[in-house]
C-alpha cells in the first residue's frame, strides 16, 4: 500500500481524501496556493507544500510544482480529486512517467472519454444505448441528410466540449448550416478543435448517471444511479440516489449494461456513465473518468467509501466484492451549499463569521469551511455539501428540511434559502422534474 498520498486539490474534496487516507493509515501531503495557506485541508494533512500563487493555472494546475512536491515529500501516489487535473490525460502520463501512481483510470481511457465523439463511438461499440445521431464527426456536406434522418429538433455538439459547452439546438433545416458554422467557430476558439457531431435533441429528459467501480482483476461493478436533473446553467444544484424515476428492475438492467461495458473496456477505478432518460429510455451522453462531487449520496445508500476503494484499486488490491454484495438501502439527497446569493447566484466571497452544521442520524456535511474562514474569490463557490439519508425518500426529505433549518452560516450569503424554497415545491416533493425544471422554477418568481 502507498506510504504517502499527495492530494492535488483543495477544499472539501481534499478534506474527503485526507479522511480516507487517515483511516487507512496512509500519510497525506496537502498542496495549496498562497491564498489557501489557512485552508482546513492544509491543517488536516500530515504535511503541506505551497505550490504557487492564487491563480489555479499557477498552482493547482501547475504540473511541475505538483511533481516536485511529491519528490520533496516522498509521496508515491497522487489523488487528483475532481476538476483541476483530474481528467487531464497528459497529467496522468507525467505522473506515471515519474514512477508515481495516479489514483484514477489509465491515461488512455481518460483521453478516449474526454473526446465526446470517441466516447460515444466507444459506448456504442460496448453495447451502451446512445442518442440517435451522426455516427461520429459530421461534415457540412452530410449534415442536412443526417439531420433529416434524425428528425428536428437536433443538437449540434462540440467533440471537445462537454458539460454543456459548445451546444446548439437547431429547430429546422433552414438554420442548420448557419448554426453548424457558428458551432464550429465557437468550438475552434473555445477548445482549439472545430469537430462537431449531431444528435436528436431530447426536450425534457432527466439526467441520470451510473456509478461504476472496477479493479485491476476484471471485477466491474455498478453502484446504482444518481439523478442530477436539478441543475442551473449546467451547474448541478441538488442530486439524489436513487432516482425517483427508476424502479429496481430498470436499475439492474441499465446497471448490468454499464458494468458489462466497463468490464469489456478494461476500465480501472471509479467512473460515471452519464445518460439522458426520457420516456423510459436511456441515452448515453458522456462518461466522467473522475470521482464526482456528488459521490457521497452513492456512499450513503451502498455503505461503500469510494475514495478508499479508489486507493485500494490503484494499489492493485482486488475489490473483494461481487455485484451481489452491492445493496441500495434507503434514499440520499445532496444539496450543494455555495457562497452565492440564493436568487441571483452572484458569488458572495468573504469571511464566515458563524458556521454551525446540522447533525444527527443520517446527516453528513462534507466541507472545509469553519468560523473565521475567509472564502477566497479565486476558486469555485462550493463551501459545503449537505447530504442526508433516510430509509425512503419521504424520510430523507423530512430530514433535509430539518437540516437546512439547522444550518447556520453568517458573514456570506449562501444558497441554503433556495433549498428551503424547493422543499415546499410539489413537483420537487413528488420527484417530478427534468433538466430544465429548476431554471423554469427560478424564472417563475
Ligand atoms: C443533450 C440534451 C438534449 N438532447 N443531448 C448538457 C451537457 C452535456 N452533459 C450534454 N447536455 C445535454 N445534452 C441531447 N441529444 C440536453 C443536455 C442538457 C443537459 C444534460 C444534462 C444535465 C443538464 C442539462 C442542461 C441542459 C442541456
Amino acid at each position: 500500500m502507498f506510504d504517502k498520498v499527495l492530494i492535488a486539490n483543495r477544499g472539501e474534496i481534499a478534506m474527503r481524501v485526507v479522511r480516507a487516507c487517515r483511516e487507512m493509515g496512509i500519510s497525506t501531503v496537502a498542496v495549496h496556493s498562497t491564498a489557501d495557506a489557512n485552508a482546513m485541508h492544509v491543517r488536516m494533512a500530515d504535511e503541506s507544500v505551497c505550490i504557487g500563487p492564487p491563480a489555479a493555472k499557477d498552482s493547482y494546475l501547475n504540473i511541475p510544482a505538483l511533481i516536485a512536491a511529491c519528490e520533496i515529500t516522498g509521496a508515491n501516489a497522487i489523488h487528483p480529486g475532481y476538476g483541476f487535473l483530474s481528467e487531464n490525460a497528459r497529467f496522468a502520463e507525467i505522473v506515471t512517467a515519474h514512477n508515481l501512481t495516479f489514483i484514477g483510470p489509465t491515461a488512455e481511457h481518460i483521453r478516449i472519454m474526454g473526446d465526446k465523439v470517441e466516447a460515444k463511438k466507444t459506448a456504442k461499440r460496448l453495447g451502451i444505448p446512445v442518442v440517435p445521431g451522426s455516427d461520429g464527426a459530421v461534415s457540412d456536406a452530410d449534415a442536412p441528410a443526417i439531420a433529416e434522418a434524425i428528425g428536428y429538433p437536433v443538437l449540434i455538439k462540440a467533440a471537445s466540449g462537454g458539460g454543456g459547452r459548445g451546444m446548439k439546438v437547431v429547430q429546422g433545416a433552414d438554420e442548420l448550416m448557419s448554426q453548424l458554422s457558428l458551432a464550429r467557430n465557437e468550438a475552434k476558439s473555445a477548445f482549439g478543435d472545430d469537430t462537431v457531431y449531431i444528435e436528436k435533441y431530447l426536450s425534457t429528459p432527466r439526467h441520470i448517471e451510473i456509478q461504476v467501480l472496477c479493479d485491476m482483476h476484471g471485477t466491474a461493478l455498478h453502484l446504482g444511479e444518481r439523478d442530477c436533473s436539478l441543475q442551473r446553467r449546467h451547474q448541478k444544484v441538488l442530486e439524489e440516489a436513487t432516482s425517483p424515476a427508476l424502479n429496481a428492475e430498470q436499475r439492474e438492467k441499465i446497471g448490468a449494461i454499464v458494468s458489462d461495458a466497463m468490464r469489456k473496456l478494461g476500465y480501472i477505478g471509479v467512473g460515471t456513465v452519464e445518460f439522458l432518460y426520457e420516456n423510459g429510455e436511456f441515452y448515453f451522453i458522456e462518461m466522467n473518468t473522475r470521482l464526482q462531487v456528488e459521490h457521497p449520496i452513492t456512499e450513503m445508500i451502498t455503505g461503500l467509501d469510494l475514495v478508499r476503494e479508489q486507493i485500494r484499486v490503484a494499489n492493485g488490491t482486488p475489490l473483494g466484492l461481487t455485484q451481489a454484495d452491492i445493496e441500495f438501502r434507503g434514499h440520499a439527497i445532496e444539496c450543494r451549499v455555495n457562497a452565492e446569493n440564493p436568487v441571483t447566484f452572484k458569488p458572495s466571497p468573504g469571511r464566515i463569521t458563524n458556521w454551525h452544521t446540522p447533525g444527527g442520524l443520517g446527516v453528513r456535511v462534507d466541507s472545509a469551511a469553519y468560523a473565521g474562514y475567509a472564502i477566497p474569490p479565486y476558486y469555485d463557490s462550493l463551501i459545503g455539501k449537505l447530504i442526508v439519508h433516510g430509509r425512503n425518500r419521504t424520510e430523507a426529505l423530512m430530514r433535509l428540511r430539518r437540516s437546512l433549518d439547522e444550518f447556520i452560516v453568517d458573514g456570506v450569503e449562501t444558497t441554503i434559502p433556495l433549498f428551503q424554497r424547493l422543499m415546499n415545491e410539489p413537483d420537487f416533493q413528488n420527484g417530478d422534474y427534468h433538466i430544465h425544471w429548476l431554471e423554469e422554477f427560478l424564472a417563475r418568481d
Side-chain angles (χ1 to χ4, degrees), residues 6-43:
L6 181 140
I7 297 109
N9 217 302
R10 62 178 301 279
E12 68 88 14
I13 193 62
M15 291 284 290
R16 174 71 189 81
V17 177
V18 166
R19 274 189 178 136
C21 289
R22 196 172 281 280
E23 288 180 10
M24 298 169 79
I26 299 171
S27 179
T28 52
V29 178
V31 293
H32 66 89
S33 68
T34 49
D36 276 338
N38 300 319
M40 186 61 86
H41 76 283
V42 173
R43 182 166 174 171

Side-chain angles (χ1 to χ4, degrees), residues 114-425:
D115 175 329
K116 303 310 168 194
V117 165
E118 280 315 305
K120 190 172 174 180
K121 276 183 181 168
T122 303
K124 191 171 180 181
R125 175 170 57 80
L126 296 169
I128 294 174
V130 298
V131 187
S134 59
D135 195 11
V138 69
S139 66
D140 288 4
D142 299 345
I146 288 174
E148 282 304 324
I150 297 170
Y152 289 94
V154 299
L155 193 61
I156 302 170
K157 289 183 171 179
S160 298
R165 294 168 302 160
M167 292 194 321
K168 294 251 173 294
V169 183
V170 182
Q171 296 296 346
D174 54 328
E175 57 181 67
L176 178 64
M177 297 320 285
S178 57
Q179 288 285 56
L180 199 56
S181 62
L182 196 58
R184 283 193 203 286
N185 294 339
E186 285 177 12
K188 187 73 183 168
S189 60
F191 318 114
D193 168 13
D194 72 352
T195 309
V196 295
Y197 59 108
I198 292 180
E199 287 186 343
K200 174 96 188 131
Y201 179 65
L202 303 175
S203 56
T204 57
R206 296 183 87 110
H207 179 204
I208 294 179
E209 58 188 29
I210 304 290
Q211 179 71 59
V212 297
L213 171 58
C214 313
D215 68 12
M216 295 181 180
H217 309 276
T219 299
L221 308 175
H222 76 87
L223 304 183
E225 81 280 6
R226 295 185 290 260
D227 193 318
C228 306
S229 305
L230 278 181
Q231 58 78 42
R232 174 183 177 275
R233 298 185 186 177
H234 302 294
Q235 295 300 314
K236 293 168 182 168
V237 168
L238 177 150
E239 306 99 341
E240 49 184 316
T242 54
S243 166
L246 296 192
N247 61 37
E249 186 189 348
Q250 289 174 295
R251 177 170 305 111
E252 281 159 30
K253 183 166 182 280
I254 191 65
I257 288 170
V258 167
S259 54
D260 289 349
M262 291 301 110
R263 196 171 303 113
K264 283 182 241 168
L265 181 65
Y267 189 76
I268 294 170
V270 298
T272 298
V273 183
E274 288 193 9
F275 293 90
L276 294 178
Y277 177 77
E278 194 169 73
N279 302 327
E281 295 297 329
F282 287 92
Y283 302 95
F284 170 87
I285 42 174
E286 296 177 17
M287 177 172 184
N288 303 319
T289 54
R290 68 177 189 273
L291 182 70
Q292 299 206 221
V293 171
E294 61 269 24
H295 76 273
I297 56 177
T298 300
E299 295 188 320
M300 301 300 276
I301 65 169
T302 61
L304 285 175
D305 177 331
L306 289 183
V307 175
R308 177 178 177 275
E309 297 307 326
Q310 277 187 292
I311 295 168
R312 292 178 71 245
V313 161
N315 185 52
T317 311
L319 282 173
L321 292 167
T322 65
Q323 193 64 52
D325 298 319
I326 306 301
E327 288 174 6
F328 306 111
R329 205 174 58 78
H331 193 92
I333 303 172
E334 174 185 86
C335 292
R336 297 191 188 198
V337 179
N338 292 339
E340 293 169 353
N341 177 288
V343 175
T344 66
F345 296 90
K346 181 174 177 296
S348 169
R351 192 174 298 279
I352 294 172
T353 51
N354 273 324
W355 176 261
H356 174 78
T357 57
L361 176 64
V363 179
R364 164 179 169 179
V365 177
D366 281 19
S367 177
Y370 54 88
Y373 177 55
I375 303 168
Y378 309 102
Y379 315 110
D380 67 36
S381 58
L382 180 72
I383 53 174
K385 300 173 336 194
L386 169 57
I387 301 114
V388 300
H389 177 271
R391 288 171 298 176
N392 53 53
R393 190 169 188 269
T394 304
E395 187 174 287
L397 285 171
M398 300 279 280
R399 189 158 282 156
L400 180 55
R401 180 194 292 273
R402 184 270 295 169
S403 300
L404 288 164
D405 294 345
E406 200 178 310
F407 208 148
I408 298 171
V409 186
D410 294 336
V412 297
E413 292 183 293
T414 76
T415 48
I416 290 170
L418 165 64
F419 298 112
Q420 291 170 314
R421 283 171 54 211
L422 272 179
M423 291 300 108
N424 298 322
E425 267 306 303

